[in-house]
Amino acid sequence: MIFSLYLLFAIIIGGLGIYLLLHQKGFLGINEQAAKQPARWFGWIFSIDALLLVVSTFITKDAALPGGLFVILGTLMTTVLAVVVVRLLFK
């Protein structure tokens, strides 16, 4: 059960990372100059986090702690991305 949830979370976070890396010229109505830096940084962070979560899940085989740390990191970074996007939208 934990295995499948970790893989689902990795797919979602990895997809978000790939989306941000592919849309560095603007996303969510943010212009190119303002969106390029956050999209690049968060795109790489989310992609690496998803990859490490998948590797950790296969190595530890359903152990809650190692994968849980990557889930917590992904959740915190998603919250930080939301704050950055709101700041850029309502600047």
Side-chain angles (χ1 to χ4, degrees), residues 6-79:
Y6 281 170
L7 290 181
L8 177 65
F9 189 82
I11 290 169
I12 292 170
I13 290 294
L16 180 61
I18 291 170
Y19 173 82
L20 288 172
L21 287 173
L22 293 176
H23 290 86
Q24 292 183 21
K25 295 188 178 186
F27 61 95
L28 297 173
I30 301 171
N31 64 5
E32 181 179 351
Q33 277 188 328
K36 188 174 186 177
Q37 193 70 16
R40 182 180 299 143
W41 279 100
F42 284 104
W44 280 111
I45 289 172
F46 286 141
S47 299
I48 291 170
D49 184 46
L51 180 67
L52 290 175
L53 178 58
V54 169
V55 169
S56 172
T57 302
F58 281 112
I59 289 175
T60 59
K61 296 183 178 46
D62 283 348
L65 185 60
L69 295 176
F70 294 115
V71 170
I72 291 169
L73 177 65
T75 304
L76 290 174
M77 292 311 297
T78 304
T79 304

